[in-house]
Amino acid sequence: MTRGDDVAAAVATTVEAPRLARRRVNNAGIEGAVTPLVDLAEDAWERTIAINLSGVFRCLGHELAAMRAQGRGSIVNVSSILGVIAFPGGGDYAPTASSTA
């Protein structure tokens, strides 16, 4: 999820199986460090953002390009209720939870 080349390779693998290439589900995310935001390390914040937000962006870009070439397809992005109802210590997760699981 954090490296575009890896995401591109995963999408390319499924393009070879036409039935798989038309359907995508993005359902990857991490909870991150459960700690008060004031105590959260910047690298922990960056890791959660890289996977939960940027990872979905990377997947969508490669998936949409493959689907455009095929002329069809569908994508489901799974999200978490915690994007709407935050929890104590989830300062890095809650802002990303509406795009991930």
Side-chain angles (χ1 to χ4, degrees), residues 4 13 16 18 21 23 34 36 38-40 45 47 53 55-56 63 65 69 86 93-94:
T13 299
E16 297 171 10
R23 299 173 184 93
V34 179
V38 69
D39 298 326
L40 186 65
W45 168 268
R47 182 169 186 264
L53 287 180
V56 172
E63 292 162 351
Y93 181 77

Side-chain angles (χ1 to χ4, degrees), residues 29-32 45 48 52 80 82-83 87 90-98 100-101:
I30 61 169
E31 184 177 273
W45 168 268
T48 303
N52 295 5
S80 169
L82 297 176
F87 64 97
D92 60 339
Y93 181 77
T96 68
S98 62
T100 63

Side-chain angles (χ1 to χ4, degrees), residues 3-83:
R3 295 176 33 182
D5 292 343
D6 291 343
V7 174
V11 171
T13 299
T14 62
V15 168
E16 297 171 10
R19 286 180 35 185
L20 294 176
R22 293 192 307 258
R23 299 173 184 93
R24 305 285 183 186
V25 175
N26 294 318
N27 186 26
I30 61 169
E31 184 177 273
V34 179
T35 187
L37 189 59
V38 69
D39 298 326
L40 186 65
E42 188 172 341
D43 62 332
W45 168 268
E46 294 294 340
R47 182 169 186 264
T48 303
I49 298 298
I51 294 170
N52 295 5
L53 287 180
S54 299
V56 172
F57 168 77
R58 286 182 194 92
C59 288
L60 287 170
H62 292 291
E63 292 162 351
L64 290 169
M67 289 177 182
R68 179 184 285 166
Q70 294 172 340
R72 63 181 174 171
S74 60
I75 299 172
V76 175
N77 289 321
V78 179
S79 64
S80 169
I81 190 65
L82 297 176

